[in-house]
């Protein structure tokens, strides 16, 4: 039984050490470096393996995605018996919570506005507001959305959350599904997108959504670029319906040099750096999950392939 890894070599080296220490009976092989007998491959860890690559391994049981999102995977063309498990690991989770907390404060304290006033040589006083006077709403109450809310809570923001199924989170007003969307969005001053990209969530940050928000609201997109409709954001910022946006993800990535996001005074842009899988902490999670499977338990982070997340 082999674990085959496809990805950056540096991370593979760390994971090979973790497997040798914790699961010496599961050889860890790196694609392109180690010779592997295809019939022994029971587990694979990769970001986006091509379907013909996966097809080489007739006994593959579990594909571990090395990232949290699985929208890049060919979920519909993988062999039906292959289980897909995504990454839920503390390094990535903490990084995302830090990013969302940073972005929420940046937007709460109007930094895009003050930075652009500074660049224009203007001293533009405006009275500060307290976090308790603003509501942050998080779309997606999974591993990352919940961690972000945990970090926002002590800052004093009023908090809301929206998800597909019901959640009960202390200190957070929770809304569910399409029926709960309008009530959720109507009171959100700073909207955070931490949804997976699926046919249902594609383009959710659009004109219709922005129009339902309080005038002067702000948006943080740390989900995927295709959650956001570019022209609708530019129009909402232009009309004043939205005040500012902080974007970590775009469509495409990287953005071409002439893209309006680079120079828009009300947009803060980061190049998909909110959170990434860390070799050390993720290596322990990966081996935990293989141990769980080998002892007949369910792995953490199993993807429902029909649902897309
Ligand atoms: P997760 O644990 O799978 O959580 C997904 C959440 O979204 C769940 O609460 C789910 O609802 C909700 N959801 C899914 N479809 C929905 C719909 N149609 N309507 C309402 N709610 C819906 O995912 P995660 O680990 O938190 O990660 C979220 C996403 O973050 C990833 O998929 C990826 O795109 C993005 N990400 C970005 C970065 C970055 O650096 N920018 C890094 C990592 C991940 P239920 O709870 O009811 O199932
Ligand atoms: C990064 O965006 C991930 O999905 O892990």
């Amino acid at each position: 039984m082999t674990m085959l890894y496809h990805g950056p070599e540096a991370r593979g080296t760390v994971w090979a050490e973790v497997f040798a220490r914790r699961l010496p009976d599961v050889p860890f092989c790196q694609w392109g470096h180690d010779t592997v007998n295809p019939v022994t491959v029971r587990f694979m860890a990769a970001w986006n393996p091509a379907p013909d690559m996966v097809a080489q391994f007739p006994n593959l049981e579990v594909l571990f995605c090395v990232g949290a999102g699985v929208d890049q995977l060919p979920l519909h063309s993988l062999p039906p018996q292959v289980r897909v498990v995504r990454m839920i690991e503390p390094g990535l989770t903490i990084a995302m919570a830090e990013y969302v907390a940073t972005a929420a404060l940046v937007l709460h304290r109007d930094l895009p506005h003050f930075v652009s006033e500074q660049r224009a040589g203007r001293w533009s006083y405006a009275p500060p507001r307290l976090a308790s006077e603003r509501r942050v709403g998080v779309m997606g109450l999974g591993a990352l959305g919940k961690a972000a809310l945990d970090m926002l809570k002590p800052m004093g923001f009023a908090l809301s959350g929206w998800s597909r199924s019901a959640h009960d989170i202390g200190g957070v007003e929770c809304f569910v599904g399409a029926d709960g969307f309008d009530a959720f969005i109507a009171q959100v001053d700073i909207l955070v997108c931490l949804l997976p990209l699926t046919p249902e969530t594609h383009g959710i940050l659009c004109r219709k959504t922005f129009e339902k928000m309080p005038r002067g609201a702000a948006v943080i997109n740390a989900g995927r670029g295709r959650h956001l409709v570019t022209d609708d954001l530019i129009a909402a910022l232009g009309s004043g319906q939205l005040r500012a946006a902080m974007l970590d993800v775009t469509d495409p990535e990287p953005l071409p040099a002439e893209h309006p996001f680079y120079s828009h005074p009300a947009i803060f842009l980061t190049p998909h750096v909110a959170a990434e899988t860390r070799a050390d902490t993720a290596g322990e999670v990966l081996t935990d999950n293989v141990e769980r499977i080998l002892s007949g338990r369910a792995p953490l982070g199993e993807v429902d392939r029909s649902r897309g997340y």
Side-chain angles (χ1 to χ4, degrees):
M1 146 192 23
T2 302
M3 162 65 85
L4 178 62
Y5 165 75
H6 180 263
E9 190 181 342
R11 180 165 59 204
T13 305
V14 174
W15 286 1
E17 284 165 14
V18 182
F19 269 73
R21 168 169 51 82
R22 290 190 47 194
L23 287 172
D25 295 337
V26 183
F28 184 95
C29 295
Q30 289 215 50
W31 178 270
H33 293 270
D34 304 313
T35 308
V36 63
N37 177 355
V39 298
T40 66
V41 174
R42 198 169 149 191
F43 307 114
M44 185 185 288
W47 169 248
N48 183 15
D52 57 348
M53 174 181 169
V54 175
Q56 295 174 41
F57 307 106
N59 297 318
L60 182 66
E61 285 171 32
V62 186
L63 174 60
F64 291 95
C65 177
V66 298
V70 294
D71 49 286
Q72 73 287 355
L73 284 173
L75 286 180
H76 295 295
S77 45
L78 291 173
Q81 75 282 4
V82 173
R83 298 162 76 183
V84 175
V85 177
R86 60 194 202 81
M87 186 57 76
I88 305 178
E89 67 95 1
L92 183 147
T93 303
I94 292 164
M96 181 58 82
E98 286 179 358
Y99 181 89
V100 172
T102 304
L105 285 175
V106 158
L107 295 175
H108 163 55
R109 298 307 299 251
D110 262 342
L111 281 194
H113 169 70
F114 287 123
V115 167
S116 100
E117 291 300 280
Q118 175 195 339
R119 301 274 180 259
R122 286 193 289 263
W123 183 268
S124 296
Y125 175 81
R129 285 169 65 176
L130 295 179
S132 56
E133 297 171 293
R134 289 204 208 265
R135 181 167 289 272
V136 179
V138 177
M139 297 199 292
L141 298 177
L144 303 182
K146 281 186 175 151
L149 284 161
D150 279 348
M151 204 168 274
L152 291 168
K153 222 172 272 178
M155 295 176 189
F157 288 109
L159 298 172
S160 301
W162 181 69
S163 53
R164 203 160 92 136
S165 61
H167 288 259
D168 183 6
I169 308 173
V172 180
E173 196 173 345
C174 291
F175 297 83
V176 187
D179 291 348
F181 186 72
D182 285 6
F184 162 75
I185 205 80
Q187 52 172 9
V188 166
D189 301 307
I190 299 175
L191 179 67
V192 182
C193 178
L194 278 174
L195 290 165
L197 184 68
T198 67
E200 288 74 36
T201 66
H202 187 277
I204 194 167
L205 298 174
C206 64
R207 181 177 56 82
K208 274 186 171 172
T209 297
F210 302 149
E211 282 173 355
K212 291 174 183 168
M213 297 175 73
R215 190 166 174 81
V219 169
I220 298 165
N221 189 14
R224 287 287 184 258
R226 276 177 285 154
H227 283 130
L228 175 73
V229 180
T230 296
D231 291 348
D232 290 2
L233 176 66
I234 300 285
L237 290 170
S239 71
Q241 175 56 23
L242 290 184
R243 180 167 51 88
M246 182 129 174
L247 310 175
D248 184 57
V249 286
T250 59
D251 180 31
E253 291 181 5
L255 277 183
E258 67 281 4
H259 197 281
F261 286 172
Y262 280 116
S263 54
H264 198 294
I267 294 176
F268 273 15
L269 184 65
T270 51
H272 203 141
V273 293
E276 68 182 14
T277 297
R278 293 181 60 99
D280 51 355
T281 39
E284 302 297 334
V285 167
L286 187 63
T287 41
D288 282 350
N289 261 343
V290 172
E291 271 177 354
R292 292 174 77 94
I293 290 166
L294 293 177
S295 63
R297 290 173 296 150
L300 300 180
E302 183 149 9
V303 170
D304 178 339
R305 287 177 53 181
S306 63
R307 213 174 51 171
Y309 76 97

